[in-house]
């Protein structure tokens, strides 16, 4: 007979080791089976074929039952018997006993988790639909080493914490339990974890950190999924794409990225389909028509607060349920690949929100975060900082990154807020931060994590890119790990962005005094492999839209922005433009509304849209504009010091000494200039293959009539030169000796 305090502990969901009491246990010459079923009217032991074996005696009025298995068995497997329960509403439930199953997770799994090296964590922890001992059900497993008790609660047990307390696997800190499908645990079931902290205090119900699907916010439960990609099995059609990606050299290929917040790109009224299905139908062909090579999605990991745009995620393994189930997201990625478009995901390993159902003090202790707020609390965002010195936390993040690349075929991760990870004193005053073990400000654990992240991604996911949003001068962000770098493929060039946008914001008459803002980026252009970003961060929080940053009357604003886009697309570095920039929106981005699509009915806005399309096409078609993006041999200044006229000119090459040369000339004043001489390496006919002042873009159509001849008149250190007409506030792109395919040429 069990002591009364053990019975009370079971019914009060305070027993730390339910497997020591529940399920089958040797008792004399046979086995005694106990079950905790609060609210049950009657309980029987049954054979696998349903035949009644014994009535279970009520040991406690609260709902603890026991019965002896007939025969002389000294042990029983889960397949040997069933528990049949009659509930107050008259329904019957007959299922295998969750407490008759043996250990679920293997020792290798537990060892790898403890080392932070279990890279298939999304298929190990969390809710896994599987068959155990011939019985279908859900294996639940969660890391909570300091909890006194953990129960899985959900629709299948009335959210009752005494029904399914879990087993602790020492010393890993993993709690596990298999709940048979006959009890109602099925794909689609909602669930959470109920925990007691180390002192026995009940914590807020916690969502599963390894959930592969969730309820749509504001609801917060996790959702059981069927096997395969964190979703029902998905049939991919992108084998050719994945093979080409693995063999490609991203540094020599064009890369033009359309950055998207999927919730506000388009809000389709009266359409009951999943958001991902609508985006696959509308966003993919739109991006394809504009000529971008990649889509970059603001974080699609589930996040409780929509106003964070996904940058405060809590479910790092689950695509947001706002747009449909995980398989709908997989289908969207598949559609992108079939259209020749890569998919980059913004990913946030720097911090997480403090919502009580999330990771904060998950088991009653600082488990995922640092205990000391000087290390564990982010003052700028009121969020918590991951403790990257803890193996299990590091492994949780590493496996999460691989989950998106391997299971959803993402083509890259843009890692958010890298600067905040690298420096212990980031946005902190003296006394508000803890030095590293050498007394310095560098976060050594974060450095080690980022190096491991990039090494593992490049080893396991051929062709997948990692891109750092890093705003400081940390050396070697894109240098290899072997050479002491962080190992990213690319880095956002935040300095270029800030400098050139500052220049763009000056009245043209004042730009002569800020000429270096446009040229300084070439001083360090090859110190890293850069992406030139005009991102979402530049069109929110009172910064205005891209068009709104440009001074002058409406004509000058449109012309100035067109010239700036021409400058960007021909400048060394890969390209990124946030959605709406191609429309020249007047208003800054609002995540609660969709883009102002009606602007496309207006010629000036339509012209900007056409220009972005033509810039992408030219950028892709001319190797000189992308093949040597990350080598000084692909760029040469011709005119870099004409601050008086605010004119810039340079050459781009696809190979050293090649005649495949492109000349770019930018005039950032509203003054047209006639006969402006620019040196070039070869005499002969040069074709104006793009002019941002062309009439088809909304410009004044000032230019060079499509062609201009370079004479053997030395200039700017070159053996020949062109006498050009420079349109007002415009960028010209000229190519030697090719008349085919000019875009936006003037007549």
């Amino acid at each position: 007979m069990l002591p009364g305090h053990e019975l009370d502990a079971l019914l009060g969901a305070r027993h730390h080791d339910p497997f020591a009491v529940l399920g089958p246990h040797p008792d004399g010459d046979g086995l005694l089976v106990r079950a905790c079923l609060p609210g049950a009217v009657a309980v029987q032991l049954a054979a696998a074929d349903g035949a009644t074996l014994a009535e279970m005696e009520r040991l406690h009025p609260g709902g603890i039952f026991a019965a002896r298995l007939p025969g002389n068995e000294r042990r029983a497997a889960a397949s040997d018997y069933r528990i049949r329960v009659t509930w107050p509403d008259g329904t019957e439930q007959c299922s295998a006993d969750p407490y008759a199953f043996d250990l679920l997770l293997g020792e290798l799994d537990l060892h790898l988790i403890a080392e932070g090296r279990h890279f298939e964590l999304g298929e190990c922890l969390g809710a896994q639909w599987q068959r155990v001992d011939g019985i279908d059900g859900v294996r639940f497993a969660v890391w909570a080493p300091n909890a006194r008790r953990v129960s899985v609660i959900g629709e299948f047990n009335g959210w009752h914490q005494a029904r399914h307390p879990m087993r602790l696997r020492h010393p890993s800190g993993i709690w596990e339990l298999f709940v048979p499908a006959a009890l109602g645990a099925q794909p689609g079931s909602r669930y959470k974890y109920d925990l007691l902290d180390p002192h026995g205090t009940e914590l807020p119900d916690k969502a599963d950190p390894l959930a592969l699907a969730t309820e749509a916010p504001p609801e917060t439960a996790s959702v059981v999924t069927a096997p395969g990609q964190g979703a029902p099995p998905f049939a991919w059609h992108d084998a050719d794409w994945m093979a080409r990606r693995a063999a490609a050299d991203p540094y020599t290929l064009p890369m033009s990225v359309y950055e998207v917040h999927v919730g506000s790109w388009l809000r389709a009224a009266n359409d009951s389909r999943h958001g991902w299905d609508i985006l696959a139908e509308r966003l993919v062909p739109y991006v394809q028509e504009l000529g971008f090579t990649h889509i970059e999605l603001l974080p699609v990991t589930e996040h409780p607060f929509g106003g964070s745009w996904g940058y405060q995620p809590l479910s790092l393994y689950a695509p947001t349920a706002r747009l449909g189930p995980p398989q709908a997201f997989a289908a969207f990625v598949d559609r992108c690949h079939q259209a020749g478009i890569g998919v980059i995901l913004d990913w946030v390993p720097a911090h997480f929100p403090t919502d009580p159902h999330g990771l904060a003090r998950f088991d009653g202790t600082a488990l995922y975060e640092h205990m000391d707020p000087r290390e564990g609390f982010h003052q700028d965002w009121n969020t918590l900082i991951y403790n990257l010195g803890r193996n299990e936390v590091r492994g949780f993040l590493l496996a999460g990154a691989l989950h998106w690349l391997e299971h959803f075929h993402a083509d890259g991760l843009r890692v958010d807020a890298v600067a905040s990870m690298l420096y212990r004193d980031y946005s902190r005053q003296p006394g508000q931060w803890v030095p590293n073990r050498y007394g310095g400000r560098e976060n050594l654990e974060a450095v080690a994590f980022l190096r491991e992240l990039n090494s593992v991604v490049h080893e396991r996911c051929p062709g997948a890119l990692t891109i750092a949003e890093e705003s400081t001068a940390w050396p070697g962000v894109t240098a290899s790990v072997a050479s002491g770098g962080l190992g990213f493929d690319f880095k956002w060039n935040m300095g270029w962005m800030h400098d050139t946008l500052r220049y763009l914001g000056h009245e043209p008459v004042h730009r002569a005094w800020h000429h270096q803002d446009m040229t300084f980026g070439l001083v360090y252009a090859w110190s890293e492999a850069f992406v030139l970003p005009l991102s979402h961060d530049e069109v929110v929080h009172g910064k205005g839209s891209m068009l709104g940053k440009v001074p002058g009357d409406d004509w000058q604003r449109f012309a100035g922005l067109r010239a700036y886009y021409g400058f960007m697309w021909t400048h060394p570095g890969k390209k990124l433009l946030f959605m709406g920039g191609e429309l020249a929106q007047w208003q800054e981005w609002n995540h609660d509304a969709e883009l102002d699509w009606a602007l496309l009915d207006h010629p000036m806005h339509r012209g900007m849209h056409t220009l972005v399309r033509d810039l992408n096409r030219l950028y892709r078609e001319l190797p000189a504009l992308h093949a040597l993006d990350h080598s000084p041999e692909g760029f040469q200044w011709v005119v870099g010091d004409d601050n008086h006229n605010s004119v810039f000119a340079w050459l781009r090459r696809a190979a050293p000494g090649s005649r495949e040369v492109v000349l770019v000339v930018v005039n950032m004043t509203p003054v047209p200039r006639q006969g402006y001489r620019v040196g070039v390496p070869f005499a002969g006919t040069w074709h104006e293959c793009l002019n941002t002042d062309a009439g088809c873009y909304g410009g004044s159509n000032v230019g060079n009539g499509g062609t201009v001849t370079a004479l053997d008149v030395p200039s700017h250190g070159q053996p020949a030169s062109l006498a050009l007409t420079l349109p007002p506030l415009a960028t010209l792109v000229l190519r030697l000796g090719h008349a085919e395919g000019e875009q936006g040429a003037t007549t």
Side-chain angles (χ1 to χ4, degrees):
M1 184 69 179
L2 283 177
H5 71 272
E6 290 227 55
L7 298 176
D8 291 338
L10 285 171
L11 288 167
R14 308 190 73 79
H15 202 291
H16 70 285
D17 187 8
F19 275 81
V21 181
L22 301 178
H25 292 274
D27 182 64
D29 292 332
L31 288 169
L32 186 68
V33 178
R34 302 187 191 93
C36 182
L37 297 163
V41 173
V43 184
Q44 298 173 324
L45 285 185
D49 62 5
T52 300
L53 298 176
E55 294 287 336
M56 296 192 77
E57 177 188 358
R58 186 182 293 269
L59 300 182
H60 190 287
I64 297 181
F65 299 83
R68 184 178 295 275
L69 270 177
N72 296 318
E73 294 90 346
R74 298 293 298 173
R75 61 181 302 278
S79 59
D80 291 342
Y81 70 93
R82 303 288 185 268
I83 295 179
R84 183 186 294 123
V85 186
T86 302
W87 297 104
D89 62 2
T91 60
E92 281 193 355
Q93 194 176 52
C94 189
S95 165
D97 183 357
Y99 297 93
F101 290 90
D102 205 347
L103 301 177
L104 301 173
L105 293 177
E107 291 300 324
L108 179 59
D109 285 320
L110 300 180
H111 174 75
L112 291 174
I113 291 170
E115 281 196 335
R117 298 282 297 174
H118 199 309
F119 297 141
E120 289 83 31
L121 207 59
E123 300 174 19
C124 177
L125 300 183
Q128 303 294 330
W129 173 258
Q130 60 186 84
R131 175 166 288 196
V132 178
D133 294 341
I135 296 168
D136 289 332
V138 182
R139 185 190 71 196
F140 293 96
V142 63
W143 179 57
N146 303 301
R148 180 172 291 187
R149 188 269 300 149
V150 180
S151 294
V152 59
I153 57 176
E155 300 174 294
F156 46 85
N157 60 20
W159 302 93
H160 199 302
Q161 63 267 48
R163 288 279 303 280
H164 290 120
M166 304 173 77
R167 168 170 48 203
L168 176 61
R169 300 291 302 276
H170 294 285
S172 68
I174 304 294
W175 298 76
E176 64 178 19
L177 186 71
F178 183 76
V179 181
L183 293 177
Q186 303 272 357
S189 296
R190 297 177 299 135
Y191 72 98
K192 284 188 175 181
Y193 296 112
D194 182 279
L195 301 89
L196 299 181
D197 75 7
H199 307 291
T201 302
E202 188 158 350
L203 296 170
D205 294 343
K206 295 289 188 177
D208 191 343
L210 272 293
L212 301 179
T214 70
E215 287 187 289
E219 304 303 324
T220 58
S222 304
V223 176
V224 177
T225 67
Q229 284 90 38
F234 182 78
W236 291 92
H237 306 89
D238 64 350
D240 290 344
W241 167 272
M242 298 296 281
R244 290 195 305 271
R245 189 192 79 179
D249 178 0
Y251 300 109
T252 63
L253 293 176
M255 180 177 169
S256 180
V257 182
Y258 186 64
E259 189 188 29
V260 177
H261 176 258
V262 290
S264 58
W265 183 78
L266 178 70
R267 293 175 178 261
N270 303 318
D271 195 327
S272 61
R273 293 176 298 166
H274 297 308
W276 290 120
D277 295 338
I278 298 169
L279 289 163
E281 180 182 282
R282 302 191 185 185
L283 175 61
V284 173
Y286 179 81
V287 171
Q288 192 176 31
E289 192 271 335
L290 276 177
F292 288 95
T293 65
H294 292 73
I295 295 172
E296 181 172 321
L297 302 178
L298 272 60
V300 299
T301 40
E302 191 58 271
H303 49 284
F305 177 45
S308 75
W309 316 326
Y311 289 103
Q312 294 188 13
L314 274 181
S315 297
L316 290 190
Y317 290 68
T320 176
R322 294 171 175 89
L323 296 165
Q327 65 268 29
F329 174 64
F332 170 80
V333 176
D334 197 44
R335 176 74 73 88
C336 288
H337 288 172
Q338 292 178 67
I341 297 169
V343 178
I344 298 168
L345 305 179
D346 281 11
W347 183 66
V348 187
H351 61 121
F352 59 92
T354 60
D355 298 65
H357 71 281
L359 301 178
R361 297 192 67 83
F362 187 80
D363 63 358
T365 69
L367 188 63
Y368 286 87
E369 69 272 32
H370 291 274
M371 182 171 63
D372 189 333
R374 295 176 299 169
E375 296 182 277
F377 184 74
H378 203 296
Q379 301 174 123
D380 291 353
W381 303 314
N382 294 320
T383 53
L384 298 173
I385 299 170
Y386 286 105
N387 181 357
L388 296 174
R390 192 167 207 159
N391 287 349
E392 295 90 345
V393 175
R394 192 182 74 252
F396 167 75
L397 292 170
L398 289 171
L402 292 170
H403 181 72
W404 298 97
L405 297 170
E406 295 182 341
H407 291 277
F408 288 108
H409 290 201
D411 299 291
L413 299 174
R414 193 226 64 165
V415 182
D416 183 63
V418 170
S420 76
M421 301 173 68
L422 291 174
Y423 299 95
R424 287 176 164 266
D425 64 344
Y426 183 88
S427 198
R428 295 180 187 273
Q429 299 300 315
Q432 295 180 341
W433 57 283
V434 179
N436 64 33
R437 62 181 177 269
Y438 302 114
R441 60 197 286 252
E442 300 82 8
N443 189 325
L444 304 180
E445 294 81 9
V447 171
F449 165 75
L450 293 171
R451 287 173 172 165
E452 185 176 11
L453 167 71
N454 289 314
S455 297
V456 170
V457 166
H458 292 135
E459 177 184 348
R460 292 176 61 105
C461 308
L465 303 176
T466 58
I467 304 167
E469 186 211 18
E470 203 286 310
S471 55
T472 75
W474 185 280
V477 172
T478 58
S480 69
V481 172
S483 65
L486 296 183
F488 285 94
D489 295 294
F490 295 101
K491 168 182 171 173
W492 274 18
N493 195 336
M494 311 292 279
W496 173 91
M497 177 193 68
H498 289 305
D499 290 349
T500 60
L501 288 180
R502 182 171 59 241
Y503 177 91
L504 186 66
H506 288 298
E507 294 283 349
V509 69
H510 298 142
R511 287 175 178 165
W513 285 271
H514 304 279
H515 200 75
Q516 71 281 358
D517 283 344
M518 295 285 270
T519 60
F520 184 63
L522 275 304
V523 173
Y524 60 87
W526 300 282
S527 62
E528 303 276 5
F530 282 122
V531 173
L532 309 181
L534 297 178
S535 76
H536 62 280
D537 277 330
E538 305 316 306
V539 291
V540 289
H541 302 321
K543 295 178 183 177
S545 67
M546 288 303 302
L547 188 66
K549 299 178 188 300
V550 188
D553 58 27
D554 287 356
W555 189 93
Q556 288 190 359
R557 286 184 163 187
F558 279 95
L561 185 58
R562 290 194 304 267
Y564 180 75
Y565 284 169
F567 167 81
M568 169 184 171
W569 254 262
T570 55
H571 190 287
K574 308 309 182 186
K575 326 299 175 189
L576 179 139
L577 181 68
F578 184 58
M579 65 182 199
E582 79 281 10
L583 304 179
Q585 293 199 146
W586 287 106
Q587 302 299 319
E588 70 177 21
W589 172 51
N590 175 6
H591 71 271
D592 286 326
E594 69 175 11
L595 298 185
D596 193 355
W597 294 107
L599 293 175
L600 288 176
D601 294 331
H602 300 271
M604 296 296 282
H605 296 278
R606 171 59 72 176
M608 192 72 70
H609 186 271
T610 302
L611 173 66
V612 170
R613 181 200 66 191
D614 287 352
L615 283 169
N616 275 328
R617 185 176 301 141
L618 196 70
Y619 170 64
R620 293 196 321 271
E621 291 177 354
L622 298 184
L625 293 180
H626 60 255
L628 291 179
D629 256 339
H630 305 293
S631 168
E633 295 177 315
F635 177 90
Q636 183 179 3
W637 275 117
V638 178
V639 179
D641 56 356
D642 189 1
N643 59 300
H644 177 73
N645 291 309
S646 296
V647 170
F648 311 84
W650 61 84
L651 298 168
R652 298 293 308 274
R653 285 185 171 87
S658 171
R659 290 182 62 88
E660 290 288 328
V661 183
V662 169
L663 172 69
V664 181
V665 187
V666 183
N667 176 15
M668 291 302 290
T669 72
V671 179
R673 306 196 184 278
Q674 303 292 332
Y676 191 95
R677 188 161 295 278
V678 177
V680 290
F682 303 107
T685 301
W686 289 70
H687 294 271
E688 184 185 77
C689 48
L690 187 133
N691 178 350
T692 65
D693 190 51
C696 61
Y697 306 138
S700 58
N701 222 36
V702 173
N704 297 277
T707 61
V708 62
T709 300
L711 303 177
D712 291 320
V713 177
S715 183
H716 302 108
Q718 298 293 329
S721 60
L722 297 163
L724 295 173
T725 296
L726 304 187
L729 293 170
T731 294
L732 297 176
V733 181
L734 299 105
R735 184 185 186 191
L736 175 66
H738 290 271
E740 307 85 16
E742 296 98 338
Q743 294 151 350
T746 53
T747 58

